[in-house]
Amino acid sequence: MMRPTILVALPGNDELVSLLAHLTGVGHARLQLHRFPDGEIYVRYPVSLEGQTVVLVCTLDRPNEKVLPLIFAADASRELGATSVGLIAPYLAYMRQDQRFKPGEAVTSQSFANLISNHFDWLVTVDPHLHRYHHLPELYKARSFTVQSAPLISKWIKSNVVKPLIIGPDVESEQWVAAVAQRADAPYAVLAKTRYGDRDVQIAIPWLEHWWYHTPVLVDDIISTGATMIQTLGKLKEKALRPPICVAIHGVFANGAHEAILGAGAERIVTTNTIPHKGNAIDISELLAAGLRDAINP
Ligand code: R5P
């Protein structure tokens, strides 16, 4: 039997919380937040938390403004009688600065993991950006549950794309691209990316002409500035392949990125709903519901 549990939505996460509540039968509420004129915030739970597992639901794109309310809410829930406190963060932030590239830099992935682990008992997330770390427990002391979207992405591609050729923009993407391609019964290619700055990316492309009758499907875990997708689209255009479809697990879309990718020639941009966006076409709520069940029934 499931322990008494309540899902609590932080602003912007109501739709996902409703889906999770429907799939799991767990009760739900909405955290009340108020911003005072001086910029400080007020946090209140509108329901009793006594004796419950409290599950805060907050996707962590644009994390800086979200994290302080989240920490206040986690602390308050313990004071208000929660027996344990978990976090569902479909998109997990601060995974990319996972080493000190230049002397003096902060390794923010580890600091962020420490902050979350110090306030939450467990964490459920979707495909975190693991590069130099291979498993979340190497970073997070809190128990972590990772769910993988590759089967759903493959399913979407199989049902919506004629003769797909799956393309990963860099070696890091091979882990998703290979899994997606295998399940979609499609060939795949991995390109070589060198990043020189936030929006300065160079892509080297192999010989792809023999795939001219396929539809290129660019698959990456994150779209942030869109530079990776835009550069890749430019290179594919030179090869006269069909207009590509861009698929990302997490559509962060920094200012103007979505429009810029379409302007660079993408036929369509498709994302999962780890971050709410008009391009969401792949629903990961069932994966998160399974992750939630694992987390609360260890
Ligand atoms: C890189 O390490 C990630 O897998 C993505 O390729 C990257 O985050 C995409 O960023 P942007 O859209 O800014 O090129």
Side-chain angles (χ1 to χ4, degrees):
M1 208 181 71
M2 212 180 249
R3 296 178 183 158
T5 302
I6 184 160
L7 292 160
V8 181
L10 273 86
N13 296 271
D14 304 84
E15 198 176 321
L16 179 61
V17 165
S18 300
L19 288 168
L20 290 174
H22 175 72
L23 289 167
T24 58
V26 167
H28 61 107
R30 190 165 199 245
L31 190 72
Q32 290 178 359
L33 286 184
H34 169 72
R35 189 174 291 273
F36 291 113
D38 61 2
E40 293 187 1
I41 44 173
Y42 164 94
V43 175
R44 177 174 179 264
Y45 286 94
V47 290
S48 165
L49 305 179
E50 194 64 48
Q52 305 219 58
T53 294
V54 173
V55 184
L56 294 167
V57 181
C58 186
T59 201
L60 288 172
D61 60 306
R62 283 99 192 152
N64 299 351
E65 64 204 54
K66 296 180 177 175
V67 168
L68 207 51
L70 200 55
I71 300 298
F72 289 157
D75 283 357
S77 66
R78 289 188 207 281
E79 291 158 21
L80 293 166
T83 51
S84 77
V85 188
L87 170 64
I88 296 182
Y91 173 66
L92 187 57
Y94 282 112
M95 288 297 292
R96 284 179 287 176
Q97 180 83 20
D98 59 357
Q99 75 170 33
R100 188 166 289 114
F101 299 95
K102 292 186 197 148
E105 286 179 349
V107 183
T108 49
S109 58
Q110 187 61 70
S111 296
F112 190 71
N114 295 345
L115 181 69
I116 295 295
S117 297
N118 288 339
H119 291 86
F120 290 90
D121 299 308
W122 52 260
L123 158 80
V124 177
T125 191
V126 182
D127 294 309
H129 182 83
L130 292 165
H131 183 195
R132 278 156 283 262
Y133 290 94
H134 297 110
H135 305 282
L136 221 41
E138 294 168 40
L139 275 171
Y140 279 75
K141 286 194 303 290
R143 283 186 299 130
S144 53
F145 300 83
T146 297
V147 297
Q148 269 140 14
S149 59
L152 296 180
I153 292 178
S154 304
K155 197 170 158 199
W156 186 90
I157 291 172
K158 249 186 147 168
S159 335
N160 291 279
V161 184
V162 180
K163 281 201 164 298
L165 164 67
I166 315 294
I167 297 180
D170 52 29
V171 279
E172 290 155 64
S173 67
E174 184 153 11
Q175 51 186 310
W176 305 284
V177 166
V180 166
Q182 192 195 20
R183 287 171 182 270
D185 298 323
Y188 78 90
V190 172
L191 316 183
K193 175 170 93 178
T194 312
R195 184 178 285 279
Y196 297 100
D198 290 348
R199 292 170 193 270
D200 185 4
V201 164
Q202 294 301 322
I203 301 278
I205 198 160
W207 191 77
L208 290 176
E209 281 81 347
H210 55 294
W211 301 112
W212 64 268
Y213 55 94
H214 279 63
T215 307
V217 183
L218 312 188
V219 177
D220 206 353
D221 62 335
I222 303 170
I223 296 177
S224 176
T225 64
T228 302
M229 289 291 180
I230 291 166
Q231 272 295 319
T232 310
L233 288 165
K235 293 287 177 181
L236 292 177
K237 212 182 245 176
E238 289 168 14
K239 303 276 177 193
L241 294 179
R242 291 185 179 182
I245 295 173
C246 295
V247 179
I249 304 169
H250 309 291
V252 174
F253 297 120
N255 279 349
H258 192 260
E259 297 68 24
I261 296 169
L262 289 174
E267 171 85 10
R268 184 173 173 186
I269 307 169
V270 167
T271 54
T272 78
N273 56 347
T274 60
I275 301 170
H277 186 269
K278 60 186 173 195
N280 293 164
I282 302 168
D283 177 18
I284 45 72
S285 57
E286 287 199 15
L287 297 179
L288 287 173
L292 171 62
R293 287 191 202 97
D294 289 344
I296 58 185
N297 295 313

